[in-house]
Structure formats: C-alpha cells, structure tokens
Amino acid sequence: MTHDRHSYAEPALVRTTHLALDLDLDFTAKVLSGTATHTLAWSGPGDRLVLDTRDLTILAVEGAGGEDGEWEPLEYSLAVPDQELGSALTIRTRQHEQVRVSYRTAPTATGLQWLEPSMTAGGMMPFMFSQSQAIHARSWVPVQDTPSVRFSYAAHVTAPPELMVLMSADNGTISHRSGSYDVVMPEPIPSYLLAIAAGDLVFEPIGDRAGVWAEPEMAKRAATEFCDTEEMMRVTEALFGPYRWGRYDILVLPPSFPYGGMENPRMTFATPTVVIGDKSLVSVVAHELAHSWSGNLVTQDSWDDIWLNEGFTSYVENRIVEAVYGHELAVMETAIKQHATVVRLDPLPAAQQAVELPGLNHRSQYHGTTGLGPLKGAWFLAWLEERFTRETFDPFLRGYFDRFAFRSINTDDFVGHLQEQLLDKHPGLVTPAELAAWLDEPGIPAFAERAVSARFEIVDELRERWLTTGEVPAGAKHWTTQEWLRFLDAAPDVLTAAQLQQLDREFDLTGTANGEIARRWYAIVAASNYTPAYDELATFLTRVGRMKLVLPVYKALAASEAGRDFATEVFAAARPNYHPITTAAVQKILGR
C-alpha cells in the first residue's frame, strides 16, 4: 500500500492534510515532548493509519471525529525497529477525522542536535536545531515521512524563556522571548521540511522580504554577507515565476550543522562556514533560495527521484549566480561541479558507473547523501537549455513550476511535461537516442559539452608550470575562491613536502578561514602525510561539522594506517561537536 520504499506510510489509503504540534523543549533531558495531531483525508475503505517513527516513546493515541468530536483512546502497535527506517506506528481507527499522538523523543534523536553553551558563538546559552532531510523527521515527530505527502502545519512550542524558538513557518521578525511560541505554515509541505531551532537568536533585516536570524555575535556579519538575497529573489521571480512563500529568512546555525544549507521554507538553515567576508561562498544561499521553486514548490514524490529536487535546484542556482554576479562566476561554478563529477566517474568501469550515476529514470539508492545524480540532472537541464535556447527553455521551466506547484511528482511526470511542452512543439532538436542517454544510460553522455572558463585555463597552465618547474603561480594571492578550488581540485592527490611547504609559505593555506579551500587543502595534506599542518587540520575537523568539508579529509586520512589512527584521535575530540548525521558518516569512513 506504499510506493515510497523509505517510508511505512500508506498515502493511497489516508493522508495527513494538516499537522498541529504542541511541543515542549527540555534542554536538561535533551528531549522534545508533546502531541502531534493529524487531520486526515481518507481515500476509501480502511481502518488503520500508519506513521513513521524512529526511537520515539509513544505515550498515548486518541482519535476524534463525527458529530460530537470527542476524543477516544485508540489501539496502536509499534513495530520492531529497522536500523534505517525506524518503526512503523500502526493505529487502528474508524476513519477518524483527527488522530492525536502523545510522545517524547530520545536524547539520541537523529533529526535533532542539542548543543551545550560551549558549542555556540556566545558560549552562554544552549542551542537546539533539527535536520529532517531525508528521513529524520520521524525521529522527532510521528508523521507520514515521505515527500509524496504534503500538509500545512501549526505549532505551539514552550522552551526556556531566555531562548528564541523558530520553525519553518511564519515566525515574524522580532526576537520576542516569552518561553511560549505559536507559528503557522499555511502552505502544504512534505515532512522533510519540518524544522525547529531554539537558541540565543536575534534578527537583522536584509530586505523587505528577507532577513537573517543568528546569534548576536554572528548576525550583522551574516546580514552583510547575505545582503544580495533580495536581489536573488527578484531575478529568480523574473525567470521562473513568483516567490510563493511570503518571507525568505536565513537562520545561521552553529558550525556543527552538517550541511551547507537546508531549504526549510520561510527559514533556510545555513552553515556559518559560508560567512567569510567576501561573498565568495554565497552560492549556498542561491542554492537554498532556488529550492523555493524546485523542491519546496515542486517536490520529488520519493527519494528515488532526488534529481528532481537537487538537479533542478543546481540549475536554477547557477542562473541566479549568473544574473547577480556575472557569467564568468557562473561558468566557474559549473566547471567545478562538472570536474568533480567526471573525476569520480573516469576511473570506473561501466558497471560501477551505472551504480554511481544511473540514468535519471533509475532509482538513485538515495540514503541521505545526494551523490552525483543531482549533478547529472543539472547538466541535463543546461544541455536542454543550450539545445532549445533560453528564449524557449525559460518559459518551459516557468510553466513546469506553475503546473506542478505544491505537488509531489516523479520523473515520469517530468518527462511527460517535457514531451508535451517542449519536444513535441520543437521537433528534431533532440533525438530519442540523446534523451535516452540522459534518462536511461549511466554516466554523462559523450555529447554533453563541458563548461569552459578562460580564467580556469590560466589557472591550469600555472598549475602545470608549478608542478614542472616549481615556479609559484603569478598573481595567485589575488585569486578568487573559485580559482583556488580549481588549482587544488586538479592538483595531484599527493604532493611532496617541499611543494606543500612552498604553497603554505607563499599563500598561508594552513589555517585558512575559507572552508571550501580548507577541505581541499587538508585532503591533500592528509594524503601526503604532511604532518606540520596536522595541528591546524585537527582544529578544522574539531571546529566544523559540515559533512561536505570534513568527510573528504577523514577519507584521505583513513587511506593509511597512521592517518586512520590520527583521524580516530581527532574524531574522539570532535564527536561531541558533530551532528548525529555527521557522526554516523565519519564512523563509516573509519570503520568504527
């Protein structure tokens, strides 16, 4: 009765249309407790509601409906837990209009992180935040945890009065701390966009519809870094239709946040690692804003179709970057992503490519990391744009967002729209074989053109000259972040101690505040066993919990026995600062 293999829910029988939460945050016990009340729409005969849970303690289940609307206790059972999917909560009902579950979370809930004051910027107050994508909402709310089900929600939350509580909802713009908060999300969203945070948070406006929430020590710096957000919103609306979520605010979290950003509607959660003072990493904001159209507005109906969320978003992100910051930066960003894709695929035989990067019509085996599928999806859309020209492709994409707004769809739905609105209207521009190469065959099609950056060609020449002659790259002190990423991305995985010393002496790469440069530099340092940089490497791994930044360094360390021992020591110190998602990923790398 379910079509989403990552969920126990049975939306063909019954769907949640509205969720009412009444929650209390207990920072001492590190648990969230309260009730989740589901308003239900039944599709036919049925006597059960199945919700996803993970490590939840169920205290009671009640149902209400009919003329009297009285609540009555309902029978329920909690299945033996699966390590990944958690436990199915099966509730026996008489097709009640509402079902209310009383519950509490575990201190180890995979979708929540409780931070001690020492782990925050201010160092005085605790902090808590959620990360529901992909299937972690079930660890803090009993819910139909599948993107195929969308619902509006309202929440009442109590917390220590010195803390501000925010959710992926209409929070207002005033840090009024009362210990009791009420929020509303009127638009229907999937469960992975449920989000909550509590901490010492203040607001800084950056436009009529946008602002930054952050700890006081970070708020003004972040507002300056993200000051182009309103302009990003305007250019995206001009390209792909209106922004339909009211406000777009950004919550800057402590460094333990495991991702660059999370596109929670009305309240993007963002890593502080992109706030470095030069706007060179604000493509993260462009990416999360793009999700307001691709992902939040038009949503994949299961994690097997992750490319519909992330591939479209990467494409729209690049269009935003081009419109706001210029064509050359957009080309460099694209080239960096394409290079990473090709480098990972080049050494793989066809059978492994089919697993690593299947056709877009194939199951992605998505289990919490996006892999290369979204990059292939973005490349595919850019290829379509080139074939049909922007004058044709942009209205097509705008029509796609309009047609499927606030709906969850699959690849077949997109292909049908593509055929009807683009291929049939402009015959002969794309052959069936070319389309099949993207949708059904593994890898990147041989006919797909790569982005070419004139500035990267210069970087490539200077890198090769340095590797051959030892001549320091001229002008490198004035390179952009993207030029440094290109230099390091295409450098050998292992360099000599003399080469590393020379780069460090000239450009102070060890200890850099730029996390994107740091992750590439420290990965080379680790693979080269360049121990003079190990103290700063360890500081970086302990301070930052963003998986994109730390996992490549752990992987490079784990390639040798001595490196794995060192990484294990660092991880022991860093683990208290990591989100459970990051902890699990590092443990997998280290074989622990």
Side-chain angles (χ1 to χ4, degrees):
M1 303 301 294
T2 178
H3 66 282
D4 184 346
R5 62 196 174 95
H6 305 100
S7 170
Y8 295 114
E10 300 171 335
L13 291 176
V14 58
R15 290 172 175 261
T16 299
T17 59
H18 181 76
L19 179 67
L21 297 171
D22 192 334
L23 305 174
D24 177 71
L25 307 182
D26 186 337
F27 278 82
T28 301
K30 294 182 171 55
V31 299
L32 179 157
S33 61
T35 61
T37 303
H38 296 258
T39 300
L40 302 171
W42 294 86
S43 300
D47 63 352
R48 70 187 183 205
L49 167 67
V50 180
L51 301 177
D52 293 297
T53 76
R54 183 189 293 128
D55 297 331
L56 297 182
T57 298
I58 307 301
L59 304 174
V61 180
E62 301 165 286
E67 295 182 0
D68 58 12
E70 292 292 325
W71 292 97
E72 61 177 326
L74 300 179
E75 294 183 7
Y76 66 91
S77 61
L78 200 59
V80 174
D82 175 85
Q83 183 174 1
E84 180 181 1
L85 300 182
S87 302
L89 173 61
T90 301
I91 301 166
R92 293 298 171 184
T93 82
R94 292 181 288 102
Q95 295 205 349
H96 290 83
E97 295 173 8
Q98 291 185 308
V99 168
R100 181 168 64 198
V101 182
S102 301
Y103 71 99
R104 66 171 176 265
T105 64
T108 55
T110 58
L112 300 175
Q113 185 172 19
W114 303 82
L115 304 180
E116 298 296 333
S118 61
M119 299 162 68
T120 67
M124 299 296 293
M125 300 185 194
F127 204 110
M128 184 278 292
F129 65 87
S130 67
Q131 173 55 39
S132 294
Q133 187 177 333
I135 56 172
H136 299 287
R138 66 191 65 181
S139 74
W140 65 281
V141 182
V143 69
Q144 291 181 308
D145 199 9
T146 167
S148 65
V149 175
R150 303 178 68 108
F151 50 85
S152 58
Y153 80 87
H156 174 72
V157 184
T158 56
E162 66 273 17
L163 302 180
M164 183 69 196
V165 173
L166 302 170
M167 295 190 72
S168 52
D170 186 1
N171 298 279
T173 59
I174 299 174
S175 181
H176 177 66
R177 308 184 190 192
S178 63
S180 179
Y181 304 90
D182 292 280
V183 300
V184 175
M185 167 51 76
E187 290 82 18
I189 64 167
S191 57
Y192 74 90
L193 296 178
L194 282 171
I196 188 170
D200 182 14
L201 297 167
V202 297
F203 180 78
E204 284 287 334
I206 53 178
D208 292 338
R209 296 178 293 174
V212 167
W213 287 90
E215 293 183 75
E217 295 78 7
M218 173 63 75
K220 290 188 182 297
R221 283 198 295 135
T224 300
E225 195 86 358
F226 302 150
C227 66
D228 296 326
T229 300
E230 191 81 41
E231 176 63 14
M232 291 183 183
M233 296 175 74
R234 286 194 291 267
V235 300
T236 315
E237 287 181 312
L239 288 169
F240 303 123
Y243 180 77
R244 310 187 199 207
W245 301 93
R247 293 193 56 80
Y248 180 79
D249 293 324
I250 303 168
L251 170 61
V252 181
L253 293 169
S256 62
F257 184 53
Y259 297 105
M262 180 61 213
E263 62 272 17
N264 304 311
R266 298 182 183 236
M267 185 64 67
T268 279
F269 285 15
T271 173
T273 62
V274 301
V275 182
I276 59 175
D278 63 2
K279 298 184 183 179
S280 65
L281 301 180
V282 296
S283 60
V284 167
V285 175
H287 184 90
E288 305 312 328
L289 173 63
H291 269 301
S292 301
W293 285 261
S294 50
N296 298 5
L297 185 64
V298 181
T299 306
Q300 64 195 17
D301 74 351
S302 83
W303 293 105
D304 290 326
D305 281 308
I306 179 65
W307 83 274
L308 289 174
N309 274 24
E310 296 295 341
F312 274 77
T313 294
S314 292
Y315 172 81
V316 174
E317 167 202 340
N318 199 252
R319 295 293 301 276
I320 296 172
V321 169
E322 177 182 332
V324 177
Y325 300 106
H327 176 73
E328 183 61 30
L329 180 60
V331 170
M332 288 193 289
E333 293 273 4
T334 299
I336 288 170
K337 294 173 183 176
Q338 291 180 353
H339 175 81
T341 304
V342 172
V343 164
R344 285 173 63 177
L345 289 176
D346 275 347
L348 298 180
Q352 285 183 259
Q353 285 199 26
V355 173
E356 184 77 6
L357 194 54
L360 296 174
N361 252 334
H362 291 230
R363 287 188 166 188
S364 65
Q365 301 298 320
Y366 178 73
H367 293 288
T369 58
T370 56
L372 295 178
L375 295 173
K376 181 174 182 176
W379 206 330
F380 171 51
L381 295 174
W383 178 81
L384 286 175
E385 176 210 303
E386 188 275 331
R387 280 296 176 92
F388 289 96
T389 75
R390 287 185 175 180
E391 289 72 22
T392 298
F393 188 69
D394 285 359
F396 159 77
L397 204 54
R398 183 171 183 147
Y400 166 81
F401 292 132
D402 285 340
R403 178 177 182 177
F404 297 112
F406 299 108
R407 290 175 56 188
S408 299
I409 67 171
N410 57 35
T411 297
D412 289 341
D413 296 319
F414 166 75
V415 172
H417 182 75
L418 174 70
Q419 187 70 50
E420 174 188 307
Q421 298 297 323
L422 203 59
L423 302 182
D424 289 348
K425 292 181 178 181
H426 305 276
L429 293 181
V430 170
T431 69
E434 288 173 324
L435 190 62
W438 288 105
L439 294 175
D440 301 320
E441 297 172 13
I444 300 296
F447 55 78
E449 295 185 3
R450 299 190 190 184
V452 176
S453 164
R455 289 166 69 171
F456 279 2
E457 290 178 341
I458 295 173
V459 171
D460 291 342
E461 292 174 5
L462 293 174
R463 184 198 320 99
E464 294 311 307
R465 186 183 307 167
W466 171 67
L467 289 170
T468 303
T469 69
E471 180 182 344
V472 173
K477 287 186 178 181
H478 305 291
W479 278 352
T480 64
T481 293
Q482 286 71 26
E483 286 167 305
W484 269 112
L485 299 187
R486 175 70 175 198
F487 180 86
L488 295 172
D489 274 345
D493 292 338
V494 177
L495 295 173
T496 67
Q499 289 172 320
L500 291 164
Q501 287 171 351
Q502 183 187 32
L503 288 178
D504 221 358
R505 183 172 60 249
E506 295 290 335
F507 306 115
D508 296 320
L509 296 177
T510 299
T512 177
N514 188 314
E516 290 285 355
I517 293 176
R519 79 177 177 102
R520 288 158 171 85
W521 173 247
Y522 289 134
I524 294 173
V525 162
S528 306
N529 193 31
Y530 182 61
T531 55
Y534 271 26
D535 285 347
E536 287 292 342
L537 181 155
T539 298
F540 173 73
L541 292 180
T542 304
R543 177 174 54 86
V544 175
R546 183 181 173 189
M547 290 194 293
K548 178 185 179 183
L549 303 186
V550 301
L551 297 189
V553 183
Y554 276 111
K555 288 177 182 177
L557 287 169
S560 70
E561 184 175 351
R564 185 181 295 105
D565 290 342
F566 178 73
T568 301
E569 294 177 10
V570 173
F571 177 55
R575 181 172 180 169
N577 298 332
Y578 286 170
H579 190 279
I581 297 173
T582 306
T583 295
V586 175
Q587 288 175 320
K588 185 176 181 180
I589 290 170
L590 298 181
R592 299 290 192 269

